[in-house]
Amino acid sequence: MLRYDEAREIVTQQASLRPHALTTCKLGVGEVLGYVLAEEIRADREYPPFDRSTRDGFAVRASEAAAGAKLPCVGEIKAGDSVTLPLAAGSCVQIMTGAAVPPGADAVVMIEFTSRDGDAVEFQRATLPGQNVVPRGSEAHAGDAVLRPGLRLGYAELAIAAQVGATQLLCACKPRVAILSTGDEVVPFSETPGPFHIRNSNSISLAAQVRIAGGEPVLLGNAMDRSDELGAKIEQGLREDVLVLSGGVSMGKYDLVESVLQAMGAEFFFDAVAIRPGRPTVFARCRDTFVFGLPGNPVSTMVTFHLFVVPALDLLSGAPARPLPLLEATLAEPMKEKPGLTHFLPARVEWRGESAGVRPLSWQGSGYIAALSGANCFLVFPADRQDIAAGEKVSVLPRMDVL
Ligand code: AMP
Ligand code: MG
């Protein structure tokens, strides 16, 4: 059986052979959080546009401001002031952080290292040329690339775009992800289930995971465990870039996802991964749509989405597949698991100072909902271990939405 990292590798290989050319759209800078940039953004002018002071203090000629030297202060410059007049030899000018250093001056002395008596400023330390001044154009020259295609746009990238005046950005359209749950027992979450039915919570969590991963969810509801109905709904899902199914991939008589996909001509890349939960995960391509058949147990659905669907959505958006951001944490209590499969267990990581400690939340016994509230990560219990003692280091996979 495939290890989870091998399965991820297969997903990234397949998804990099994108079946469609990337489609793009122009969007306002205020709307592009989480999109992937599809063009290069360049600096519209020199950055900084003038020699900028990084401190509150006095602009000087460094050679005139040795330790013990005194200079008359001839004025002040605030951030935003137009500065054209050169600094007269043998003088200094008071300057604020972010203000333009006047021509002739080559250093700024922090106010903390000066003393003032009327107009005379005395310097207490040696002054070096260039100190506390960011020269014009040293951050970027006009025309330099400041954002490159393939970059996912976070708040810092939005700030850079805004700074260089890129108010409209060409972005990759978000991949559209059809979400289809399966199961005769599943009813819409807005309905009251019968005594032997359950509400469809997977569709809502999957839609949220799709959004967080940068996709556009398309909700197809639920298909009963019947080949004809499943086939018709899958057919609808094949209009989108990706189809994610929940349930119906195990060995039961009514687990029909694989046989229906097979009959529709799907090419299967894997249908089992050595993980728990999530072992019967299916990854296939049917026509031009990537299909993920995730097991229906809600924790399995969440874990397998994170492990396998997220990298596919990255690549289909024109971004590189993001690596799994595994953190190291100290296990708070001893654990035992059956070896052979890598376990991903709902857990809570907490920090004391800089060191992270992690505690698994029991979910097999107490039902998944109680355990998942409060889980901010999945503890990775390696396949080749059976016991892990309290105090040992383990890896944890942070949840993308709360950590
Ligand atoms: P399956 O993978 O189809 O065997 O489903 C396994 C279990 O997951 C089912 O017995 C349900 O308890 C649960 N389940 C399946 N589909 C959903 C869903 N859409 N929402 C919540 N739980 C589900
Ligand atoms: Mg089922």
Side-chain angles (χ1 to χ4, degrees), residues 74-349:
V74 296
E76 71 169 36
I77 307 172
K78 307 195 297 297
D81 285 352
S82 315
V83 174
T84 44
L85 287 180
L87 180 69
S91 72
C92 68
V93 65
Q94 189 161 13
I95 192 164
M96 316 303 153
T97 302
V101 175
D106 62 358
V108 169
V109 179
M110 286 168 69
I111 198 157
E112 291 87 336
F113 302 136
T114 62
S115 54
R116 191 162 180 170
D117 182 11
D119 273 351
V121 177
E122 180 171 346
F123 300 93
Q124 296 162 353
R125 300 191 172 187
T127 303
L128 297 172
Q131 123 190 345
N132 302 323
V133 179
V134 184
R136 173 174 199 267
S138 62
E139 290 169 357
H141 292 300
D144 282 356
V146 291
L147 295 172
R148 294 184 190 279
L151 202 60
R152 195 172 289 283
L153 297 166
Y155 55 81
E157 291 71 25
L158 301 194
I160 294 167
Q163 194 181 10
V164 302
T167 54
Q168 298 281 313
L169 302 173
L170 191 71
C171 296
C173 298
K174 294 191 171 184
R176 289 172 56 90
V177 183
I179 295 169
L180 176 60
S181 75
T182 70
D184 289 353
E185 76 278 33
V186 177
V187 301
F189 62 82
S190 52
E191 286 177 16
T192 306
F196 299 103
H197 291 161
I198 56 165
R199 293 191 181 90
N200 185 356
S201 62
N202 283 346
S203 288
I204 199 102
S205 59
L206 283 170
Q209 287 187 284
V210 166
R211 282 220 170 78
I212 288 163
E216 182 70 42
V218 180
L219 287 164
L220 300 184
N222 183 70
M224 303 288 267
D225 294 317
R226 289 203 327 255
S227 299
D228 52 350
E229 182 173 334
L230 190 55
K233 291 254 163 91
I234 287 179
E235 192 65 51
Q236 262 181 283
L238 295 181
R239 294 184 204 142
E240 312 303 344
D241 302 303
V242 177
L243 166 61
V244 176
L245 294 120
S246 92
V249 288
S250 303
M251 300 301 283
K253 189 172 164 200
Y254 296 98
D255 290 324
L256 302 172
V257 167
E258 270 181 280
S259 59
V260 169
L261 281 169
Q262 186 104 53
M264 296 172 84
E267 180 188 356
F268 289 85
F269 305 115
F270 58 78
D271 65 358
V273 188
I275 54 172
R276 206 182 145 187
R279 175 165 149 156
T281 299
V282 172
F283 175 48
R285 180 168 159 177
C286 195
R287 296 176 216 149
D288 284 348
T289 298
F290 289 109
V291 183
F292 291 89
L294 310 182
N297 172 306
V299 178
S300 317
T301 314
M302 292 171 193
V303 166
T304 51
F305 184 97
H306 194 158
L307 291 178
F308 307 118
V309 187
V310 171
L313 297 188
D314 284 340
L315 289 160
L316 294 175
S317 317
R322 69 195 99 176
L324 275 188
L326 296 174
L327 299 174
E328 192 180 70
T330 307
L331 188 61
E333 59 190 60
M335 286 181 75
K336 237 187 212 336
E337 291 293 344
K338 271 206 208 103
L341 302 174
T342 306
H343 291 68
F344 290 85
L345 303 163
R348 181 151 188 95
V349 61

